């Protein structure tokens, strides 16, 4: 009786057809699903080339995108490992296969181990091999040949459990993994190898129900060694001489087929048995990898690993709380949030930059919910807006299991070392490590300062050289010859386009064109670009430059701004890509020519260099809260001067990471979707208004709910209570119940609620609880909030209890964010004149009776209108301590005259900003400064911060 053949070709064909059909079915719903296999072949061995061609052809037939990277025989190990690392990081690559064998000078184990586990479609890497060998292990991929062997046994209805199985060979490619798979299938497995005596080998084969031969010796196993009725899987692929073949050889297995045929019950032929299964399972593994990657890119990870808080009363200082908590390593925080290792650039253990590639990888996800946290008009003590942002995020993530991001600004070291202190939140709701958060982070503000000041230096240098050189000499130096060839840099090409000069060869310009090109003819009186420093320094508000004798008397009065007020910082906050940032930087208007034409950063030739300085700063930074939920820390535009919001890019990335698959029902989406909690500086009427009219215009996004933070203390101030000063004891009105004073002050809260509702969005009031508050006072705030149109007002004790204290607030925010009663709208259209837009903001948001444009402001309105910038939205820089321009006017002042003393153009950022009254663009230091308490102890830890 002859054995039945196990037809690997037929089984493999069925598997490949199934794979092709599966890909088609997925692509019918998701056109962007494109499985990708990349094969690396080192050298040009004929047998390897044959196998590679076979794999490429099979992949093409299955609609798998397959690429071959051919490397030379003498490639170095470093070069090969670098190529693998590149493919590991490429989100378009699902599977990586290094064609074996590789040249002897390369470490095969090191090379195969370099492929990351979720792209190791060969199944040879340490993760997959290790998991396969473990009891209860879960490899991501099974090695292709062993997987195919088990499929052939299953297709042939071979019962494996309880049977005696002999595996001949112990290679990592076939022998060991197939032995592990047979063991997992409950066979009694014996592994034999080249050192097994032949007598012992025959003895084991004589009782073997299943034989897997993978020893690489042609026709080694004879039929009379086998048990009658054994199932024989021949993995051998050996070539023996055969003059009857055109090639002079033929392929045979490790089993003598002719003698085994009468003995075995089932046997695989060679060729046509196991071989086709290997290729088919490679394709199957690639599709498995692609599905995992696609699912990962479309699913929202749920937060399940919070850090435990050890709450103490009284609450210790912020830095003591921060130091007492052991943070997670930042790569763990990122992984839990759905960020790939290849998208992370660590800066030490607890902070990292995140690649913008996330936006491409997750582009098909539906955004998560977008929560904007703002506040009422604050006191100098602050009312806990950042603390509420962090506490709310901790509640959503650590206690309600939502994927959540808190998106906050990087704090300026000006206020940090001044009187305000840091911006990490406080109590048991803060970003950690708080000292790293408040000092430097990853250096973005330093990069902004350098970029800003490079442009400032370039402006004055250009004026100097234009004043001291004739056209020809100036042109020769601006566009020098390098190795005898002159070319225009990209910035100069853009200037030529602006001038209407359509020439690419610098030698072709006429003298008139050369003059137009080199003469910016900047009017020094119109220069608006100032130098910056990240420090509160009142003595830099007004300075005179050019005092050195080398500057030939070209003195000029100017001043410094604080770094976070730089337009470069606003651009970092508002740009949507590296290309967009480059364009915006080039568009920055720094002055006007004597003829009134705007002079830009592009005209100066500086935009490319500024982009280079900011190319890393554009990547958001990731840190964590005290309870281990992720935080994006990015950009830090000053809140009473600039837009006061963190970056568009951080919000967009977080919304995708917190987003959901487009295939979900609305009910499924609400269960799975995550939340992005971001804040706008100071009160709603400042930060919130700019967030809506400037940031939302730039991003194309709109919040789902607005949270307005209020405190009993601040509302009493607005009800007519005594002045509150930082560092001074609070008056008794603030430490004892006073319902009448509080109710009077709630008018300020009501105004902010009304202002927020003007944008068509639901409003939730967060009552930031303090120990001196009474329940009755909280009830008054809730009553007045509902009367003003808020959907709810919820007491939150996150400062004292962390996320646990903000659970009710989180639930209220979730409910409000899912409200269908919302229709976002801007406060104003951009078409009206500059004066009209300022009037709309001042009258509708602040309550002004009229706007007064002082002479300098009127002059600027005329200039910017003439230059074509009147269509831009408006940012009004004013005091944060009143709805008006006057910090002394508390509550809800109305009918006042609102003075605008100057207007500046932030054309690259995309807005004009008006300076109200005496607002300063660089703060001063107080008598007792925050820096006076800061020390570094013997362990290198920072003491004395907040």
């Amino acid at each position: 009786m002859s054995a039945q053949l196990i037809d690997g070709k037929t089984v493999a064909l069925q598997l490949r057809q199934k794979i092709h059909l599966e890909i088609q079915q997925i692509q019918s719903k998701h056109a962007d699903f494109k499985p990708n296999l990349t094969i690396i072949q080192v050298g040009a061995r004929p047998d390897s080339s044959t196998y590679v061609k076979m794999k490429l052809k099979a992949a093409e037939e299955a609609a798998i995108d397959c690429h071959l990277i051919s490397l030379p025989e003498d490639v170095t190990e470093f070069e090969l490992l670098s190529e693998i690392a590149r493919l590991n990081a490429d989100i378009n690559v699902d599977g990586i296969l290094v064609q074996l064998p590789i040249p002897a000078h390369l470490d095969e184990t090191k090379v195969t181990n370099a492929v990351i586990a979720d792209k190791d479609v060969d199944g040879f890497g340490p993760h997959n091999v290790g998991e396969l060998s473990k009891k209860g292990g879960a490899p991501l991929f099974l090695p292709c040949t062993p997987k195919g062997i088990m499929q052939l046994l299953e297709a042939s209805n071979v019962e494996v459990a309880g049977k005696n199985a002999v595996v001949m060979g112990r290679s990592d490619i076939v022998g060991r993994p197939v032995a592990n798979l047979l063991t997992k299938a409950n066979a009694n497995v014996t592994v034999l190898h080249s050192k097994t005596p032949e007598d012992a080998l025959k003895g084991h084969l004589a009782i073997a129900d299943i034989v897997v031969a993978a020893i690489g010796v042609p026709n080694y196993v004879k039929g009379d060694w086998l048990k009658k009725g054994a199932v024989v899987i021949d993995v051998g692929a050996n070539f023996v001489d055969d003059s009857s073949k055109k090639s002079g050889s033929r392929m045979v297995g490790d089993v003598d087929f002719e003698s085994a045929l009468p003995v075995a019950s089932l046997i695989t032929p060679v060729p046509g048995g196991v071989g086709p299964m290997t290729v088919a399972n490679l394709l199957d593994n690639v599709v498995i990898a692609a599905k995992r990657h696609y699912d990962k890119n479309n699913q929202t990870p749920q937060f399940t690993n919070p850090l435990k808080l050890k709450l103490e009363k009284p609450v210790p200082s912020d830095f003591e709380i921060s130091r007492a908590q052991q943070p997670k390593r930042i790569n763990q925080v990122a992984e839990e949030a759905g960020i790939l290792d290849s998208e992370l650039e660590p800066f030490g253990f607890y902070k990292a930059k995140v690649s913008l590639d996330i936006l491409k990888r997750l582009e098909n996800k539906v955004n998560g919910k977008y929560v904007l946290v703002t506040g009422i008009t604050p006191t100098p003590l602050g009312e806990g807006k950042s603390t509420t942002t962090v506490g709310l995020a901790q509640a959503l993530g650590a206690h309600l299991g939502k994927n959540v991001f808190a998106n906050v600004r990087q704090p300026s070291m000006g206020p940090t070392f001044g009187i305000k202190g840091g911006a990490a939140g406080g109590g048991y709701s803060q970003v950690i490590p708080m000292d790293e958060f408040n000092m430097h982070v990853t250096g973005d503000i330093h990069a902004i300062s350098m970029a800003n000041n490079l442009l400032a230096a370039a402006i004055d240098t250009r004026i100097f050289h234009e004043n001291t050189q004739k056209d020809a000499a100036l042109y020769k130096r601006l566009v020098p010859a390098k190795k005898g060839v002159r070319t225009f840099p990209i910035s100069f090409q853009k200037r030529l386009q602006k001038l209407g000069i359509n020439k690419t060869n610098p030698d072709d310009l006429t003298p008139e064109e050369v003059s137009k090109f080199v003469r910016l003819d900047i009017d020094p009186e119109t220069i608006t670009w100032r130098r910056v420093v990240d420090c509160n320094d009142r003595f830099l508000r007004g300075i005179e430059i050019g005092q050195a004798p080398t500057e030939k008397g070209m003195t000029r009065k100017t001043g410094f701004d604080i770094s976070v007020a730089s337009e470069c910082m606003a651009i970092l906050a508002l740009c949507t890509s590296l290309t967009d940032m480059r364009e915006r930087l080039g568009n920055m208007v720094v002055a006007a020519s004597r003829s009134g034409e705007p002079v830009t950063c592009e005209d100066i030739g500086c935009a490319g260099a500024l982009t280079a300085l900011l190319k890393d700063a554009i990547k958001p930074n990731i840190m964590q809260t005290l309870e281990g939920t992720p935080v994006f820390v990015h950009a830090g535009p000053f809140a009473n001067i600039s837009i006061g919001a963190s970056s568009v890019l951080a919000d967009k990335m977080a919304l995708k990471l917190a987003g959901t698959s487009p295939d979900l029902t609305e009910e499924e989406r609400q269960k799975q979707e995550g939340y992005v909690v971001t804040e706008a500086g100071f009160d709603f009427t400042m930060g919130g208004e700019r967030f809506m009219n400037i940031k939302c215009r730039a991003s194309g996004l709109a919040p789902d709910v607005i949270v307005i933070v209020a405190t009993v203390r601040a509302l009493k101030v607005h009800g007519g209570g005594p002045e509150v000063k930082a560092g001074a004891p609070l008056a008794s009105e603030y430490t004892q119940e006073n319902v009448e004073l509080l109710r009077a002050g709630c008018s300020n809260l009501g105004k902010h609620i009304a202002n927020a509702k003007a944008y068509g969005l639901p409003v939730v009031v967060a009552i930031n609880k303090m120990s001196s508050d009474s329940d009755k006072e909280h009830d008054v705030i809730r009553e007045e909030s509902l009367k003003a149109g808020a959907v709810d007002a919820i007491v939150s004790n996150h400062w004292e209890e962390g996320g646990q204290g903000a659970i009710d607030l989180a639930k209220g925010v979730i409910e409000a964010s899912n409200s269908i009663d919302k229709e976002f709208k801007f406060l104003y259209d951009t078409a009206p004149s500059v004066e009209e837009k300022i009037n709309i903001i001042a009258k509708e948001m602040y309550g002004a009776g009229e706007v007064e444009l002082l002479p300098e402001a009127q002059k600027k309105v005329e200039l910017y209108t003439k230059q074509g910038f009147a269509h831009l939205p408006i940012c009004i820089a004013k005091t944060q301590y009143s709805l008006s321009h006057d910090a002394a006017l508390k509550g809800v002042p109305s009918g006042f005259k609102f003075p605008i003393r100057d207007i500046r153009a932030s054309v690259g950022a995309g807005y004009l900003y008006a300076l109200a009254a005496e607002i300063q663009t660089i703060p001063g230091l107080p008598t007792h400064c925050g820096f006076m308490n800061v020390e570094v102890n013997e362990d290198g830890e920072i003491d004395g911060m907040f």
Side-chain angles (χ1 to χ4, degrees), residues 668-748:
E668 291 171 330
R669 192 177 321 285
Q670 288 185 17
K671 288 180 180 179
Q672 294 184 26
E673 67 190 344
Y675 291 77
V676 177
V677 184
T678 191
E679 61 177 339
F682 294 124
D683 61 15
F684 178 84
T685 299
M686 288 179 67
E689 182 270 315
R690 298 167 190 164
F691 187 99
M692 301 298 179
N693 292 306
I694 297 175
K695 184 176 179 181
C696 289
R697 274 193 167 96
S699 68
L701 303 169
D704 293 287
V705 59
I706 298 168
V707 176
I708 297 179
V709 180
T711 60
V712 169
R713 176 183 65 196
L715 291 173
K716 287 179 177 178
V717 169
H718 291 294
E723 184 179 3
V724 171
K725 292 184 178 180
L730 286 173
S732 60
E733 286 88 342
Y734 303 116
T735 58
Q736 298 173 13
E737 184 179 286
N738 190 324
V739 172
E740 292 74 20
L741 194 63
L742 173 65
R743 193 177 293 277
C746 281
S747 60
N748 182 272

Side-chain angles (χ1 to χ4, degrees), residues 330-371:
I330 199 62
N331 57 335
Q332 181 183 351
V333 176
E335 181 182 6
E336 291 169 358
I339 299 169
L340 304 181
D341 185 64
S342 60
E343 295 164 339
L344 201 68
E345 300 174 19
F347 278 65
F349 294 136
Y350 306 121
K351 56 184 182 288
K353 283 202 162 291
V354 181
S355 170
L356 305 188
D357 290 345
I358 284 178
L359 291 172
K360 174 65 176 174
R361 176 170 67 88
L362 305 180
E363 62 183 345
N364 293 315
K365 288 181 75 173
V366 176
N367 286 346
K369 285 289 192 276
Y370 198 20
V371 181

Side-chain angles (χ1 to χ4, degrees), residues 456-685:
I459 294 166
D460 289 308
T461 296
R462 184 58 175 267
I463 294 172
F464 175 86
H465 288 305
E466 285 191 30
N467 287 344
T468 56
Q469 297 180 57
K470 293 183 178 180
D471 291 353
L474 186 57
Y475 187 51
K476 185 177 180 180
R477 289 180 174 88
L478 281 173
V479 191
K482 294 182 180 179
K483 296 181 180 181
V485 179
R486 299 175 75 191
T487 58
F488 289 118
I490 291 175
S491 274
F492 286 176
Q493 292 172 23
K494 291 178 179 289
R495 172 155 175 76
L496 289 169
Q497 292 170 10
K498 176 180 176 180
L499 295 171
I501 301 173
N502 299 315
K503 295 178 181 178
T504 58
N505 185 346
D507 297 328
D508 291 345
L509 268 66
T510 66
E512 292 77 15
E513 289 171 335
V514 166
S515 183
K516 286 173 63 179
F517 175 77
V518 301
R519 295 293 165 187
L520 300 181
D521 197 26
I522 294 172
D523 180 356
E525 295 297 317
T526 68
I527 296 174
T528 56
W529 198 261
R530 293 153 64 95
R531 288 162 175 82
V532 299
V533 62
D534 191 32
C535 180
N536 289 2
D537 194 340
R538 68 180 69 245
F539 287 95
L540 291 178
R541 289 171 177 168
I543 63 169
E544 189 171 48
I545 61 172
Q547 292 286 340
T550 52
E551 310 325 311
K552 301 182 179 181
M554 296 181 195
T555 59
R556 178 170 71 85
K557 288 186 177 180
T558 181
F560 273 74
D561 292 336
I562 194 163
S563 295
V564 288
S566 168
E567 185 177 354
C568 293
M569 178 60 85
I571 286 173
L572 184 71
L574 293 172
C575 69
T576 56
S577 67
L578 187 63
T579 302
D580 183 43
M581 182 174 75
R582 168 66 178 78
E583 188 72 19
R584 287 173 178 268
L585 290 170
N587 290 339
M588 293 188 300
V589 173
V590 299
S593 69
R594 295 182 193 278
S595 62
E597 291 298 313
V599 177
T600 67
C601 176
E602 202 75 81
D603 292 325
I604 301 288
C606 217
L610 267 60
T611 307
L613 286 168
L614 299 178
K615 74 176 183 65
D616 290 320
I618 196 174
K619 302 169 188 172
N621 309 294
I622 186 170
M623 294 184 74
Q624 64 191 292
T625 67
L626 274 168
E627 297 190 60
T629 59
V631 179
F632 272 145
V633 183
H634 199 218
F638 223 44
N640 60 350
I641 301 169
S642 187
I643 62 167
S646 61
S647 78
V648 166
L649 281 168
D651 286 0
K652 286 195 166 192
M653 290 164 69
L655 285 166
K656 290 301 181 186
L657 288 161
T660 51
S661 168
D663 298 331
L664 301 180
T665 65
E666 195 55 38
E667 184 179 355
E668 291 171 330
R669 192 177 321 285
Q670 288 185 17
K671 288 180 180 179
Q672 294 184 26
E673 67 190 344
Y675 291 77
V676 177
V677 184
T678 191
E679 61 177 339
F682 294 124
D683 61 15
F684 178 84
T685 299

